[in-house]
């Protein structure tokens, strides 16, 4: 290939590269740069605002929500994955669970919020059933619309997501390894403690990090469920963006979004390191 | 195969029932909530009929379907020729294209929305203020998923040999891409299309913050005025997405058998 035809070959990629430049790279750079600006001048005001009491509190709640829902999702999801993985690959049970997991993990968002309002909201089905039969009011002071409710609702998409991302790792565990361990006189506990556990740990931690990032970035469910107050970072960004009372909070939104990028970037870096470590074992 | 102990079988059954309750109760509650008469007994299908009667909801459903169609088309036009071209002529660019395509996975959609105001000022200047302009942003969102399915389809065939054969028979590059390579990666393209449709139909972040009335946005809005209808719409959307993803799994299965043959 001569130099001219190599040049024209690259030229054909231009539409694709330009498109991504305009709709992906430019918005991200706007956020990065905007976080350090106010009225077109460089300043650290908005970055400093990230360390104010309110924002720190919201960040803390966001981190707790992501961590707890990732932990619940990872542990329960791994257990469900194990129940699925021990069935033959062609069984109807396994197909149904993986298909349903795909829908629930991908398609959460708005429908999910309403599913839980219909179940545990003030006139939710379970709420009313318990109210009329046992006289217990589980709606209480509206916990569904606060942090505990968000953790519960997030688990509803975190567990299926765990099934999807963790199943390949569990499938990579060969039955022969267990047979070998048993032949050498290992008990079930010893097999899990010394063979399968260490082998699966990187994959488990990696999946848990992915769940964390997923919860941290999630917006739709919380936006529909929580209409008052801004308990988590995405909702604080919403109020900074749509605030009509206080002018010039756009750059605060940039700074908050920047903070989000930093957290997700750290998590995803750890994730890719763990995945690299896992892929060495499971092939 | 070991015989399973009784304890383990009990543990398995009990946990499966628990998982079943956790995942089924909210779905069944949606059915119940959307069909009962408030302050009285009996059943009603009014909220479900509203899905077709409510003017705003109907418009939003049409917008969302059009968006899904446009996003899928634009994604295919942008991505498929580029990916084939990279394999054929500029393998040096393959890492760059892969990195760019997977990048949206690590940047939360919310962050893109926050930064996209300037870009969208130009978009609405050029294309007007229609919800359909969301297509441009949605292509970015579906990119990682579409890239993966098309990439795995391309990996399963020998693109370079196919192209060389066609070229030596006198075919131009357009013919090579459209008539030789494309039919061979059809299953991957279809599955990329299905994922895009499902993602666009459920997308809320962009629509709500840019104030475009797509289906999820209107469902969210309805929750404030007419809870039963919003629940009915949510369940309908969920069922529709399930149907799409079930179809998707059939497409995936056909790829595997054709590869094995």
């Amino acid at each position: 290939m001569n130099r001219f035809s190599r040049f024209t070959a690259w030229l054909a990629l231009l539409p694709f590269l330009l498109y991504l430049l305009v709709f992906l790279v430019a918005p991200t750079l706007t956020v990065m740069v905007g976080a350090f600006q106010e009225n077109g001048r460089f300043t650290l005001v908005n970055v400093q605002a990230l360390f104010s009491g309110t924002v720190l509190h919201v960040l803390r709640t966001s981190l707790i929500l992501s961590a707890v829902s990732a932990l619940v999702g990872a542990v329960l999801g791994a257990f469900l994955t194990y129940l699925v993985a021990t069935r033959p690959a062609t069984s109807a049970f396994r197909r149904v669970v993986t298909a349903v997991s795909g829908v629930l993990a991908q398609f959460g968002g708005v429908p999910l919020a309403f599913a839980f309002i219909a179940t545990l909201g003030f006139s939710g089905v379970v709420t009313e059933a318990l109210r009329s039969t046992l006289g217990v009011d589980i709606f209480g002071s509206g916990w569904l619309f606060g942090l505990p409710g968000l953790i519960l609702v997030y688990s509803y998409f975190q567990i299926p997501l765990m099934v999807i991302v963790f199943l390949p790792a569990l499938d990579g565990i060969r039955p022969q390894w267990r047979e070998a361990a048993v032949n050498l006189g290992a008990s079930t506990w010893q097999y899990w403690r010394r063979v399968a556990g260490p082998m699966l740990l990187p994959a488990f931690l990696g999946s848990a990090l992915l769940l964390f990032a997923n919860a941290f970035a999630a917006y739709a469910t919380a936006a529909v469920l929580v209409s008052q107050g801004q308990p988590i970072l995405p909702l604080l960004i919403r109020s900074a963006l749509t605030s009509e009372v206080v002018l010039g909070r756009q750059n605060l939104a940039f700074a908050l979004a920047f903070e989000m990028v930093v957290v997700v970037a750290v998590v995803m870096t750890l994730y890719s390191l763990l995945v690299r470590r896992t892929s060495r074992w499971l092939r | 195969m070991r015989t399973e102990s009784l304890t383990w079988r009990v543990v398995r059954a009990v946990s499966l029932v628990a998982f079943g309750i956790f995942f089924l109760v909210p779905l069944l509650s949606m059915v119940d909530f959307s069909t009962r008469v408030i302050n009285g007994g009996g059943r009603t299908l009014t909220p479900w009929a509203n899905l077709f009667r409510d003017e705003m909801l109907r418009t939003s459903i049409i917008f969302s379907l059009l968006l899904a169609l446009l996003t899928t088309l634009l994604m295919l036009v942008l991505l498929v020729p580029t990916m084939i071209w990279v394999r054929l002529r500029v393998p040096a660019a393959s890492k760059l294209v892969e990195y760019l395509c997977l990048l949206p996975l690590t940047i939360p959609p919310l962050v893109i929305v926050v930064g996209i105001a300037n870009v969208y000022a130009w978009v609405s200047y050029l294309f007007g203020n229609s919800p359909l302009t969301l297509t441009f942003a949605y292509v970015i969102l579906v990119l990682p998923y579409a890239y993966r399915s098309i990439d795995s389809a391309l990996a399963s065939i020998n693109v370079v040999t196919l192209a060389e054969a066609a070229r030596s028979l006198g075919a131009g590059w357009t013919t090579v891409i459209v008539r030789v390579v494309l039919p061979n990666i059809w299953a991957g393209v279809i599955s990329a299309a299905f994922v895009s449709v499902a993602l666009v139909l459920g997308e809320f972040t962009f629509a709500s913050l840019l104030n475009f009335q797509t289906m999820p946005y209107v469902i969210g809005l309805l929750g404030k005025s007419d809870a039963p209808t919003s629940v009915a719409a949510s369940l309908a959307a969920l069922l529709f997405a399930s149907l799409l993803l079930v179809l998707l799994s059939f497409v995936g299965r056909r790829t595997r058998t054709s590869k094995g043959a």
Side-chain angles (χ1 to χ4, degrees):
Chain A
M1 224 189 309
N2 63 35
R3 193 175 296 168
F4 176 73
S5 72
R6 197 176 303 164
F7 177 71
T8 48
W10 273 90
L11 215 57
L13 299 183
L14 214 55
F16 173 80
L17 294 177
L18 275 180
Y19 191 92
L20 286 179
L21 189 70
V22 170
F23 290 100
L24 178 63
V25 179
T28 313
L29 285 181
T30 308
V31 167
M32 303 282 190
V33 176
F36 298 94
Q37 282 184 333
E38 188 71 66
N39 301 325
R41 289 175 175 208
F42 276 90
T43 165
L44 288 177
V45 175
N46 289 302
V47 180
Q48 274 162 358
L50 295 182
F51 298 94
S52 71
T54 335
V55 179
L56 279 179
H57 180 75
V58 170
L59 176 66
R60 203 174 130 251
T61 316
S62 254
L63 292 174
I64 292 174
L65 169 63
S66 310
V68 175
S69 77
L71 192 72
V72 171
V75 172
L76 291 179
F79 184 58
L80 181 58
T81 315
Y82 179 71
L83 294 179
V84 174
T86 45
R87 296 276 109 166
T90 48
S91 70
F93 168 69
R94 187 173 165 147
R95 261 190 210 153
V96 168
V97 174
T98 44
V100 170
S101 297
V103 176
L104 294 180
Q106 296 273 351
F107 202 75
V110 179
L112 190 51
F114 284 116
F116 275 86
I117 291 173
T119 312
L120 297 168
F122 179 72
S123 56
V125 173
V126 172
T127 315
E128 294 214 324
L130 289 178
R131 208 179 273 151
S132 59
T133 54
L134 299 175
V136 186
D137 188 13
I138 54 161
F139 181 75
S141 51
W143 61 273
L144 180 64
F145 305 106
L147 183 60
L150 284 174
I151 291 174
L152 177 75
V153 181
Y154 276 34
S155 303
Y156 197 83
F157 61 73
Q158 296 279 56
I159 295 174
L161 182 62
M162 185 67 180
V163 172
I164 294 173
V165 295
F166 195 54
L167 190 58
L170 263 186
D171 275 341
I173 295 285
R174 310 275 153 73
Q176 290 89 329
W177 296 345
R178 183 175 203 140
E179 286 157 16
V182 170
N183 278 340
L184 293 168
S187 65
T188 302
W189 165 247
Q190 280 172 321
Y191 164 72
W192 279 104
R193 174 76 189 76
R194 299 285 173 85
V195 182
M199 204 88 82
L200 286 171
L201 192 63
F204 178 81
L205 292 177
S207 308
L209 282 176
L210 196 68
L211 262 56
F212 181 92
N214 184 47
F216 195 76
Y219 170 76
T221 312
V224 174
L225 207 54
V226 183
S227 53
Q228 284 170 344
Q230 296 86 35
I232 59 171
L233 206 53
L235 299 187
L236 191 62
I237 294 180
R238 164 175 77 178
S239 82
L241 268 185
T242 57
S243 168
E244 284 161 12
V245 195
V246 191
L247 279 175
R249 297 198 69 190
Q250 176 115 33
N251 288 76
L252 179 63
F254 286 147
L256 291 167
F258 177 70
E259 183 168 51
M260 222 167 150
V261 173
V262 172
V263 172
V264 176
V266 169
V267 171
M268 293 309 280
T269 310
L270 290 174
Y271 169 74
S272 66
L273 289 176
L274 278 169
V275 165
R276 207 172 299 162
R277 209 183 136 82
T278 324
S279 57
R280 230 187 306 161
W281 297 103
L282 305 167
R283 251 193 283 256
Chain B
M1 198 72 194
R2 299 175 318 132
T3 46
E4 292 178 330
S5 70
L6 183 66
T7 335
W8 171 240
R9 265 185 287 172
V10 172
V11 169
R12 171 196 282 278
V14 169
S15 0
L16 282 179
V17 169
F19 277 118
I21 290 174
F22 179 64
F23 285 107
L24 275 180
V25 166
L27 297 178
L28 294 177
S29 297
M30 287 171 105
V31 178
D32 186 70
F33 191 90
S34 63
T35 57
R36 72 177 170 193
V37 179
I38 301 166
N39 302 327
R43 294 279 153 190
T44 170
L45 282 176
T46 321
W48 286 87
N50 284 346
L51 298 189
F52 303 96
R53 273 206 297 259
D54 189 299
E55 182 68 35
M56 199 159 116
L57 190 58
R58 200 174 50 209
T59 324
S60 75
I61 291 174
I62 293 169
F63 266 129
S64 276
L65 290 174
L66 277 175
L67 265 175
L69 181 73
L70 287 177
T71 304
T72 307
L73 285 179
L74 184 57
M75 176 273 291
L76 291 177
V77 167
L78 204 61
L79 200 55
V80 175
T82 304
M83 287 178 69
I84 297 176
W85 192 250
V86 164
R87 283 191 181 245
L88 289 178
R89 299 292 306 277
V90 263
S94 67
K95 279 281 164 221
L96 174 72
V97 170
E98 180 184 6
Y99 176 77
L100 284 173
C101 283
L102 297 183
L103 197 57
L105 281 185
T106 53
I107 301 174
L110 189 55
V111 172
I112 304 179
V113 182
V114 171
I116 213 167
N118 287 333
V119 174
Y120 258 76
W122 277 100
V123 168
S124 51
Y125 174 74
L126 292 173
F127 298 94
N129 202 18
S130 154
L132 295 181
T133 53
L134 275 175
T135 298
F136 295 111
Y138 285 178
V139 169
I140 298 292
L141 289 187
V142 304
L143 214 51
Y145 307 94
Y147 174 85
R148 277 191 187 148
S149 39
I150 296 172
D151 186 56
S152 63
L154 276 173
S156 69
I157 60 168
N158 197 334
V159 189
V160 178
T161 316
L162 272 178
E164 274 168 6
R167 291 282 288 169
S168 68
L169 292 169
W173 284 115
T174 322
T175 317
V176 169
I177 291 176
V178 177
R179 297 189 53 193
V180 179
V181 180
L182 197 58
N184 280 296
I185 56 166
W186 201 237
V189 170
I190 298 276
S191 91
F194 272 113
V195 178
S196 312
V197 171
L199 278 174
V200 170
L201 290 183
E203 206 289 326
F204 179 77
T205 312
F206 276 88
S208 82
L209 287 169
L210 297 174
N211 267 317
F212 287 123
Q213 304 204 333
T214 62
M215 180 182 67
Y217 179 87
V218 170
I219 293 178
L221 218 57
L222 265 178
K224 288 174 184 137
S225 58
D226 184 357
T229 302
S230 69
V231 169
S234 298
L235 188 57
L238 211 54
L239 290 176
F240 188 67
S242 315
L243 197 70
L244 270 181
L245 289 168
V246 168
L247 281 176
L248 175 76
S249 76
F250 277 110
V251 173
R253 207 168 297 161
R254 208 170 52 206
T255 336
R256 242 167 280 144
T257 45
S258 68
K259 233 185 285 174

